[in-house]
Amino acid sequence: MSLGEFDLIARIRARVQQRGDVVLGIGDDAALLQPPSGRQLVVTADTLNDGVHFPGETAPADVGWKALAVNLSDLAAMGAEPAWCTLSLSLPEADSAWTDAFLDGFLELARQHDIALIGGDTTRGPLSISVTAMGFIEPGRALRRDAAQVGDEIWVSGTLGDAAAALAQLGGHGDAALRVRLDRPTPRVEVGRALIGIANAAVDISDGLLADLGHICERSGVGAEIEMTSLPASPALQQAFETAQRWSFQAAGGDDYELCFTAPPSHRDELLRVCESIGVAATRIGRIVRGSGIVALDADSRAWQALRQGFDHFSR
Ligand code: ADP
Ligand code: MG
């Protein structure tokens, strides 16, 4: 069924859950929000374009999930607590079935993290979804890219490479366990919160480990050494791909939305303890060193050459 813009907005409004700090949500010219005193506001935005950030065949509920997940992942990488988000939808037509299914995925994840949808915009155009997410952080406590120290150990949450492997399997007989990591990434919000005071620097892995760890190195003025043999892989990935291909997915494939973070060796035990209590694996993959750039060592401690660096929209 095709509806008008205002019917679509009314449909969205009817389904959102509110929070006590939303003074005025969807329905006016702008939202009114009451940030808690003594906290800093953390703001991030990310857009998903049809065919670029998700395969055209992706179920609308998965698109909804992912649109919010990639933003929650950025809040997680700062150590922030999610609070509010906006949703700007560009749709080829005002399709209520598509929008309802999209909201199923979007609002399911929103409920899990108690983040309220407080406004947005609805326009006609090529399918594209823009979300802005806002959260809170204790002043001076954010996990920044520019705070890695020489001697820090480098860690990642969860496992790497599944999403890139699923992308490589598109069109063929895909593995469902890999595909779900591409379609429904898990933002590591709890891990990010728990790492405050433990980790020095953090980034979420959206463009590939080497690319995103590269951002930490650049911003912190340090280098990194990682061991390819220590990169965590899911059972599904280990089963489906040989080492060389697997390493390239794990080190250079995007869309994992795990956290990569650095912490002093003296924090190792506490770090492992908090991640275990959350139920998310943390794996030590290398160390921060003097200099610049990343050296990835293979099983024989020789430099491993990536087949392809992380994803960059404007490079070819
Ligand atoms: P205006 O023309 O003043 O910008 P709109 O008609 O675009 O107002 O929006 C009306 C209300 O609906 C606003 O509160 C806006 O934030 C909200 N809104 C519009 N589109 C969306 C959407 N896709 N998701 C959530 N809220 C939306
Ligand atoms: Mg508007």
Side-chain angles (χ1 to χ4, degrees), residues 34-85:
Q34 184 59 63
S37 60
R39 302 277 209 104
Q40 289 175 338
L41 192 60
V42 184
V43 182
T44 183
D46 252 319
T47 299
L48 300 191
N49 290 327
D50 186 15
V52 180
H53 301 94
F54 56 91
E57 69 196 64
T58 308
D62 292 338
V63 177
W65 175 286
K66 190 164 183 174
L68 182 58
V70 301
N71 282 277
L72 286 170
S73 178
D74 281 321
L75 291 183
M78 299 301 287
E81 175 196 341
W84 310 309
C85 63

Side-chain angles (χ1 to χ4, degrees), residues 46-49 51-54 206-207 255 257 310-316:
D46 252 319
T47 299
L48 300 191
N49 290 327
V52 180
H53 301 94
F54 56 91
S206 52
D207 297 329
D255 267 1
Y257 298 100
F311 189 73
D312 176 342
H313 285 277
F314 297 103
S315 71
R316 23 167 68 253

Side-chain angles (χ1 to χ4, degrees), residues 2-15:
S2 192
L3 301 167
E5 173 194 340
F6 298 108
D7 300 310
L8 216 55
I9 296 172
R11 242 179 148 78
I12 295 172
R13 184 182 178 194
R15 290 187 60 182

Side-chain angles (χ1 to χ4, degrees), residues 186-273:
T186 307
R188 301 298 189 189
V189 173
E190 271 187 285
V191 175
R193 293 293 293 154
L195 288 175
I196 289 177
I198 296 177
N200 280 332
V203 69
D204 70 318
I205 304 177
S206 52
D207 297 329
L209 172 67
L210 294 178
D212 291 313
L213 175 58
H215 296 318
I216 288 186
C217 291
E218 229 166 88
R219 298 296 305 274
S220 299
V222 296
E225 229 176 67
I226 61 169
E227 278 137 31
M228 295 302 294
T229 52
S230 64
L231 301 188
S234 69
L237 186 66
Q238 292 185 46
Q239 211 161 55
F241 292 93
E242 297 300 328
T243 307
Q245 185 60 67
R246 182 161 54 76
W247 279 4
S248 118
F249 291 146
Q250 290 175 286
D255 267 1
D256 282 323
Y257 298 100
E258 295 293 349
L259 296 183
C260 173
F261 46 99
T262 81
S266 58
H267 289 177
R268 191 190 297 167
D269 292 344
E270 196 186 357
L271 187 160
L272 286 167
R273 192 157 37 74

Side-chain angles (χ1 to χ4, degrees), residues 5-6 9 12 25-29 87 89 117 119-122:
E5 173 194 340
F6 298 108
I9 296 172
I12 295 172
I26 295 173
D28 212 307
D29 293 309
L87 168 64
L89 278 176
L117 178 60
D121 200 19
T122 306

Side-chain angles (χ1 to χ4, degrees), residues 89-267:
L89 278 176
S90 164
L91 302 173
E93 55 184 321
D95 180 338
S96 62
W98 191 93
T99 306
D100 286 346
F102 173 90
L103 287 173
D104 288 343
F106 189 97
L107 295 175
E108 183 186 345
L109 185 60
R111 270 191 301 276
Q112 286 183 16
H113 294 278
D114 191 25
I115 185 167
L117 178 60
I118 51 93
D121 200 19
T122 306
T123 57
R124 185 189 291 269
L127 180 58
S128 171
I129 304 104
S130 265
V131 172
T132 296
M134 288 154 275
F136 310 132
I137 188 89
E138 299 77 2
R141 306 285 274 170
L143 305 171
R144 300 165 51 134
R145 294 180 178 186
D146 62 5
Q149 301 287 324
V150 171
D152 276 1
E153 294 172 330
I154 303 168
W155 298 79
V156 292
S157 65
T159 61
L160 300 177
D162 285 353
L167 212 50
Q169 286 181 336
L170 278 185
H173 176 73
D175 188 320
L178 299 175
R179 183 62 195 259
V180 74
R181 299 286 314 273
L182 176 67
D183 289 339
R184 295 220 169 198
T186 307
R188 301 298 189 189
V189 173
E190 271 187 285
V191 175
R193 293 293 293 154
L195 288 175
I196 289 177
I198 296 177
N200 280 332
V203 69
D204 70 318
I205 304 177
S206 52
D207 297 329
L209 172 67
L210 294 178
D212 291 313
L213 175 58
H215 296 318
I216 288 186
C217 291
E218 229 166 88
R219 298 296 305 274
S220 299
V222 296
E225 229 176 67
I226 61 169
E227 278 137 31
M228 295 302 294
T229 52
S230 64
L231 301 188
S234 69
L237 186 66
Q238 292 185 46
Q239 211 161 55
F241 292 93
E242 297 300 328
T243 307
Q245 185 60 67
R246 182 161 54 76
W247 279 4
S248 118
F249 291 146
Q250 290 175 286
D255 267 1
D256 282 323
Y257 298 100
E258 295 293 349
L259 296 183
C260 173
F261 46 99
T262 81
S266 58
H267 289 177

